[in-house]
């Protein structure tokens, strides 16, 4: 009950009941599928009726046929393995540095004031613009490409870890200290589990960023990798190959995100919010 302007008691507004779509996951999936099918249909029709040049944007059906040719090309798999190694190394290093650094920044103000200006200045800088700087420092090898992946992924991981650690309730820290837990033990047993939801969200963002920065680095440093494979196809006019590889990368990115989200839900069933 609530009191109105005249002092009379009025009934509190009822909380909105969950909509039909929130109770029917099948309907949500169906709507998503319809949107996806509309996009594919538009992609198929637009070049055939002259809305776009078919040489630049080939119909979707032709791209699908070309995907089979790309997947049967041993050179594509060689470049994909090279890209996968750089991706795993860059993302792994960013996770190993970013989570501890963000948590420490969230608990120690001196460290936060030392690192935050660097993050603030570097955050708006396009990470692709740093590739040439890294090439000047370390040459055109794997180190430069891994470094740009680390740089791109580090900021969302650090920021999410920082906010997660900073939001830990003080009473949890007091309880841990009263039981004799030291600083390292408190960080590992109290701060990390409490900050995990935000950390996992930052990792999900980092996975997407890692694919973009990897591809950007390989498009500029054309020695090996999927980006170099795409650029070589573009040089020789094989636009179908470029589109086919793009679709393959989109599927790989979707699968990585799907597996990550499902894995988090299975491994951390106690999490209430989605990552």
């Amino acid at each position: 009950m609530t009191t109105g302007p005249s002092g009379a008691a009025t009934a509190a507004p009822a909380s909105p009941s969950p909509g039909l779509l929130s109770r029917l996951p099948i309907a949500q999936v169906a709507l998503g599928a319809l949107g996806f099918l509309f996009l594919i249909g538009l992609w198929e029709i637009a070049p055939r009726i002259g809305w776009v040049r078919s040489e630049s944007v080939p119909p979707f059906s032709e791209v699908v046929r070309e995907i089979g040719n790309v997947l049967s090309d041993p050179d594509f798999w060689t470049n994909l393995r090279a890209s996968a190694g750089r991706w795993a190394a860059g993302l792994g290093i960013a996770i190993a540095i970013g989570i501890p650094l963000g948590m420490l920044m969230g608990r120690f103000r001196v460290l936060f004031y030392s690192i935050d200006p660097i993050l603030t200045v570097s955050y708006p800088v396009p990470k692709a613009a740093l590739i040439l700087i890294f090439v000047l420092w370390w040459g055109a090898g794997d180190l430069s490409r891994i470094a740009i992946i680390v740089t791109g992924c580090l900021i969302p991981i650090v920021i999410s870890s920082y906010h997660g650690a900073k939001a830990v309730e003080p009473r949890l820290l007091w309880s841990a200290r009263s039981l004799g837990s030291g600083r390292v033990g408190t960080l590992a047993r109290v701060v990390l589990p409490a900050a995990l939801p935000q950390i996992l969200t930052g990792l999900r963002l980092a996975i997407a960023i890692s694919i973009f920065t990897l591809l950007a680095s390989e498009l500029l440093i054309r020695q090996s990798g999927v980006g170099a494979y795409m650029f070589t196809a573009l040089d020789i006019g094989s636009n179908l190959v470029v589109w086919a590889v793009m679709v393959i990368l989109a599927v790989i990115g979707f699968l990585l995100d799907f597996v990550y989200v499902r894995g988090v839900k299975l491994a951390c069933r106690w999490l209430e919010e989605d990552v």
Side-chain angles (χ1 to χ4, degrees):
M1 301 289 288
T2 60
T3 302
S6 62
T10 59
S15 59
S17 58
L20 176 62
L21 294 181
S22 63
R23 299 195 301 267
L24 296 176
I26 295 178
Q28 296 178 11
V29 174
L31 286 175
L34 285 175
F36 189 69
L37 290 175
F38 173 78
L39 179 63
I40 291 178
L42 184 63
W43 186 351
E44 178 70 25
I45 294 172
R48 295 191 182 278
I49 63 177
W51 286 358
V52 294
R53 294 174 59 243
S54 58
E55 295 82 5
S56 302
V57 184
F60 180 75
S61 57
E62 296 182 11
V63 174
V64 171
R65 285 194 294 269
E66 187 62 29
I67 288 175
N69 297 330
V70 172
L71 293 178
S72 62
D73 182 5
D75 190 38
F76 170 75
W77 291 103
T78 300
N79 285 282
L80 183 62
R81 283 192 295 270
S83 295
R86 299 181 191 115
W87 172 81
L91 184 60
I93 294 172
I95 292 172
I97 297 174
I99 293 178
L101 179 60
M103 289 175 56
L104 291 172
M105 287 174 60
R107 302 315 313 168
F108 299 100
R109 299 183 67 83
V110 173
L111 185 61
F112 169 76
Y113 288 129
S114 301
I115 303 296
D116 183 63
I118 300 175
L119 295 178
T120 302
V121 171
S122 60
Y123 183 75
V125 177
K127 303 307 174 284
L130 297 176
I131 297 175
L132 297 179
I133 302 299
F134 290 162
V135 169
L136 292 176
W137 287 351
W138 299 309
D142 284 346
L143 182 58
S144 297
R145 283 171 281 195
I146 293 174
I148 195 63
I149 298 171
V150 174
T151 304
C153 297
L154 197 60
I155 293 179
I157 295 176
V158 170
I159 291 176
S160 62
S161 301
Y162 162 75
H163 285 291
K166 188 174 177 59
V168 176
E169 296 184 18
R171 60 184 179 85
L172 297 178
L173 302 174
W174 298 337
S175 299
R177 290 167 186 164
S178 66
L179 294 174
S181 178
R183 287 188 173 183
V184 176
T186 301
L187 284 173
R189 299 188 185 95
V190 178
V191 177
L192 178 58
L196 197 57
Q198 294 196 50
I199 293 175
L200 292 174
T201 300
L203 291 181
R204 186 180 183 185
L205 294 173
I207 291 174
I209 293 172
S210 66
I211 297 175
F212 166 75
T213 50
L214 169 70
L215 190 61
S217 67
E218 291 179 345
L219 285 170
L220 288 177
I221 308 175
R222 296 172 50 192
Q223 292 183 343
S224 63
V226 175
Y229 184 89
M230 291 179 65
F231 212 114
T232 299
L234 183 66
D235 275 348
I236 62 177
S238 298
N239 294 343
L240 266 177
V241 174
V242 176
W243 282 98
V245 175
M246 186 195 71
V247 172
I248 293 172
L249 291 177
V251 172
I252 292 174
F254 171 79
L255 291 176
L256 285 172
D257 183 77
F258 178 80
V259 170
Y260 176 78
V261 172
R262 294 300 302 170
V264 168
K265 289 182 177 179
L266 291 175
C268 305
R269 296 180 182 271
W270 51 270
L271 288 178
E272 296 181 356
E273 60 268 17
D274 294 332
V275 298

